[in-house]
Amino acid sequence: MATQMGSEEEFKTTIAEYLEALPTQFCQRVFSSPAACLAIFRLLPTVGKQLIMSMLYLDAPLQLQDVSQWAKPEHQRMVKAKVHQLRKLQLLAEDAGSVWLNPIFREQLRNALTGGGDFSSFGIPYTGPRDARIDPKRLAKYADERWEAVLHFMVGRSAHDAATPLSESVRDVLRMSRLMEDGPMGMQITNSGFQFLLQNSASQVWTVLLQYLRLAELQNMDVVEVLNFLFQLVSLQLGRAYSVEALTRNQRKMLGELRDFGLIFQDERDERAFYATHLITSLTSASTQSTERSTGPSELTTSSEHGYIILETNCRIYAYTNSPLQIAILNLFVHLVSRFSNLVTGAITRDGVRQALMHGITADQIITFLTANAHPQMQNRTPVLPVTVTDQIRLWEQERNRLHPTQAHFYREFGQRQYFERVYRYALDIGVVLWANAEKQQLVVTRQGHAKIADLFKSQRPTNNAANPQPPA
């Protein structure tokens, strides 16, 4: 038995975590779609993709020991950890030391790669007449305007909100994701919302989609249908029209709600077709920065393609922008001094950084934001940002965050030395050890690893009750 350490609320922050929590029968239904299998495959890390491809056309199980031999000795533990992650996603199965691909996932991924099976899961192209003016440039402008309206609303730009009002479904998602909450003066941004603003657009979109899945559950919608449709949208071709005729009632409802975020475009004069914008088609791309923006000097393109921030070693900052959104984001951690027609000046101060930390923003998020939006002249330097400034930001964070709570499980009093060593080796193999003391037979593992350790206890529990590990007093 173990004691849980920490009090983190259950909250799915990645699509992988969401898939891991799905029941087996739900996962099998998700894997029945070639588009979903391909999207999941593209979201896997490089090592995970290599393992999948190596097993894709092998019908017989493989010994886990043989799979480990595919890597050099110093990397075999990492391979075992990746196998464990694929098992949690139910892409791999393991029994008696053998591993094999989920048969349904294997079949449908083969179909996705070779063009077999039900290819309608990738959308049915629209064959009717279409407006030639709807091209990637127009789609990019539309998506940027819609997405910026959401960000403007979050930072409190009421004038922009009046010009582009947000639908109630968008507000519900912002509440559900705890990015905003109702206050005495209307909806107000939360600490999670401040962190959200400093993320890149791909991470922001994934956050919104995950919360949309939670909202769909509360509305008693078929979660598998919603998830498969999202994977279908991710796999669509940018700039191509797709028909709505084959969509279900729930899927048509989703089109309208995702359209409010700028993920989907529909011509008001002909709603028989829809288009996926770059905000959603680039989510599974290897490099989202190269595909997120193709045209248009919008507020977001300015920050991602044409960096506008110059940072000096004395913490002085110069931002070549007139965008109210970009200025509002900078104001989260920069003390602004003056503003001109196309330039804002300020400084990164201890008080400004501490205020950002109080809102839940981390030093790494500040540094990542500054790096991603650095002026082209700074991008040519290595490192991009002055080391003195980045070190100072981290020091200010350490002043406030001297302890970092991590949710974990603590094991002790194993009784038998060999029992402790068996559990300890297993925890090392799957990469879940946070701390261990071999002399005192004490072990701390991550929250995610606790379930696997518990399964090991059930299968290998000694007959002697005194050997059962006990929680601390």
Side-chain angles (χ1 to χ4, degrees):
M1 187 175 179
T3 293
Q4 184 173 337
M5 304 170 65
S7 59
E8 178 183 295
E9 183 181 359
E10 285 295 331
F11 184 69
K12 305 298 182 294
T13 56
T14 66
I15 189 64
E17 289 184 7
Y18 188 88
L19 292 173
E20 290 172 6
L22 284 180
T24 301
Q25 61 270 25
F26 282 23
C27 277
Q28 301 292 51
R29 289 178 57 197
V30 173
F31 296 158
S32 64
S33 166
C37 292
L38 182 60
I40 293 172
F41 173 77
R42 295 174 67 182
L43 289 169
L44 294 174
T46 302
V47 176
K49 291 178 182 177
Q50 291 178 343
L51 292 174
I52 294 293
M53 290 304 298
S54 299
M55 301 181 188
L56 186 59
Y57 290 95
L58 297 178
D59 296 327
L62 288 172
Q63 291 296 315
L64 181 58
Q65 185 177 0
D66 294 337
V67 175
S68 300
Q69 297 299 321
W70 293 349
K72 295 181 179 180
E74 60 269 23
H75 300 305
Q76 290 182 3
R77 184 173 295 171
M78 178 191 67
V79 171
K80 291 183 179 179
K82 295 301 180 183
V83 169
H84 176 67
Q85 292 177 0
L86 295 177
R87 285 179 53 201
K88 291 169 61 178
L89 290 169
Q90 303 186 48
L91 304 180
L92 284 184
E94 180 180 357
D95 183 46
S98 299
V99 294
W100 61 92
L101 275 181
N102 182 306
I104 299 178
F105 176 81
R106 179 182 60 193
E107 178 184 359
Q108 297 304 328
L109 182 58
R110 286 179 181 178
N111 289 335
L113 296 176
T114 59
D118 180 16
F119 225 65
S120 63
S121 65
F122 289 93
I124 300 177
Y126 180 63
T127 56
R130 52 167 292 185
D131 191 343
R133 295 174 297 177
I134 303 177
D135 55 9
K137 181 178 180 179
R138 180 177 176 182
L139 293 176
K141 180 180 179 181
Y142 166 83
D144 289 337
E145 289 176 351
R146 286 285 184 171
W147 192 252
E148 288 166 10
V150 176
L151 300 183
H152 273 285
F153 179 73
M154 292 183 63
V155 297
R157 301 293 303 178
S158 57
H160 193 282
D161 180 44
T164 311
L166 297 185
S167 66
E168 191 60 34
S169 64
V170 174
R171 297 169 187 257
D172 288 341
V173 171
L174 294 178
R175 291 189 189 96
M176 177 69 64
S177 58
R178 298 184 293 277
L179 300 178
M180 300 190 74
E181 60 186 8
D182 292 315
M185 303 298 293
M187 293 187 66
Q188 299 175 348
I189 190 170
T190 64
N191 289 351
S192 298
F194 284 115
Q195 298 181 41
F196 177 84
L197 291 174
L198 294 190
Q199 294 176 345
N200 58 55
S201 60
S203 299
Q204 291 175 340
V205 173
W206 271 123
T207 299
V208 167
L209 292 181
L210 287 170
Q211 301 317 310
Y212 185 83
L213 284 169
R214 293 183 62 200
L215 187 61
E217 293 178 5
L218 295 179
Q219 296 176 349
N220 295 321
M221 298 172 65
D222 186 348
V223 176
V224 176
E225 180 185 6
V226 174
L227 190 56
N228 276 340
F229 188 57
L230 291 179
F231 282 138
Q232 174 182 320
L233 297 177
V234 169
S235 304
L236 297 183
Q237 181 180 343
L238 180 64
R240 188 170 188 175
Y242 292 88
S243 174
V244 302
E245 292 182 1
L247 300 184
T248 65
R249 180 180 178 181
N250 285 338
Q251 290 171 341
R252 296 185 184 218
K253 177 175 179 291
M254 290 175 61
L255 281 183
E257 294 173 344
L258 296 178
R259 184 175 58 208
D260 295 332
F261 284 100
L263 307 182
I264 297 297
F265 174 82
Q266 277 186 294
D267 192 343
E268 295 180 353
R269 295 169 296 180
D270 185 6
E271 294 189 350
R272 294 174 298 175
F274 71 93
Y275 302 77
T277 69
H278 64 275
L279 289 177
I280 196 167
T281 60
S282 63
L283 290 181
T284 57
S285 301
S287 176
T288 57
Q289 288 187 351
S290 63
T291 57
E292 277 187 72
R293 304 289 184 268
S294 56
T295 53
S298 68
E299 296 181 19
L300 296 181
T301 47
T302 303
S303 65
S304 61
E305 287 188 353
H306 314 288
Y308 61 98
I309 294 176
I310 291 181
L311 180 62
E312 295 182 336
T313 55
N314 59 0
C315 295
R316 292 282 297 177
I317 194 168
Y318 303 88
Y320 290 90
T321 179
N322 57 4
S323 162
L325 175 60
Q326 292 176 352
I327 295 173
I329 293 177
L330 281 175
N331 195 41
L332 295 177
F333 58 90
V334 175
H335 174 62
L336 300 179
V337 177
S338 56
R339 178 176 178 178
F340 302 94
S341 60
N342 65 338
L343 174 67
V344 176
T345 67
I348 297 179
T349 64
R350 180 174 179 270
D351 291 340
V353 172
R354 285 177 63 87
Q355 181 181 4
L357 296 174
M358 292 175 61
H359 288 146
I361 300 173
T362 66
D364 285 340
Q365 289 174 330
I366 294 175
I367 293 171
T368 300
F369 176 82
L370 292 174
T371 302
N373 296 280
H375 193 276
Q377 293 183 4
M378 294 193 64
Q379 294 284 0
N380 295 328
R381 300 170 50 182
T382 304
V384 176
L385 303 181
V387 177
T388 54
V389 179
T390 56
D391 287 347
Q392 185 61 68
I393 293 175
R394 290 193 171 98
L395 287 174
W396 285 331
E397 181 183 48
Q398 291 177 7
E399 289 180 2
R400 187 175 185 274
N401 301 330
R402 298 184 183 275
L403 297 176
H404 299 276
T406 301
Q407 192 174 38
H409 293 266
F410 176 51
Y411 298 89
R412 68 173 189 174
E413 297 180 11
F414 285 80
Q416 298 180 9
R417 180 77 180 184
Q418 60 182 6
Y419 188 35
F420 167 78
E421 292 178 352
R422 186 186 309 125
V423 174
Y424 179 51
R425 286 196 301 268
Y426 177 74
L428 283 176
D429 288 341
I430 62 177
V432 298
V433 176
L434 292 177
W435 175 86
N437 188 320
E439 181 179 351
K440 296 182 178 180
Q441 298 185 25
Q442 296 176 344
L443 178 65
V444 178
V445 301
T446 63
R447 175 175 61 91
Q448 293 80 3
H450 171 62
K452 297 300 178 182
I453 300 294
D455 291 341
L456 183 68
F457 287 156
K458 295 177 182 178
S459 62
Q460 302 184 15
R461 187 186 302 272
T463 58
N464 183 2
N465 293 332
N468 298 336
Q470 298 295 326

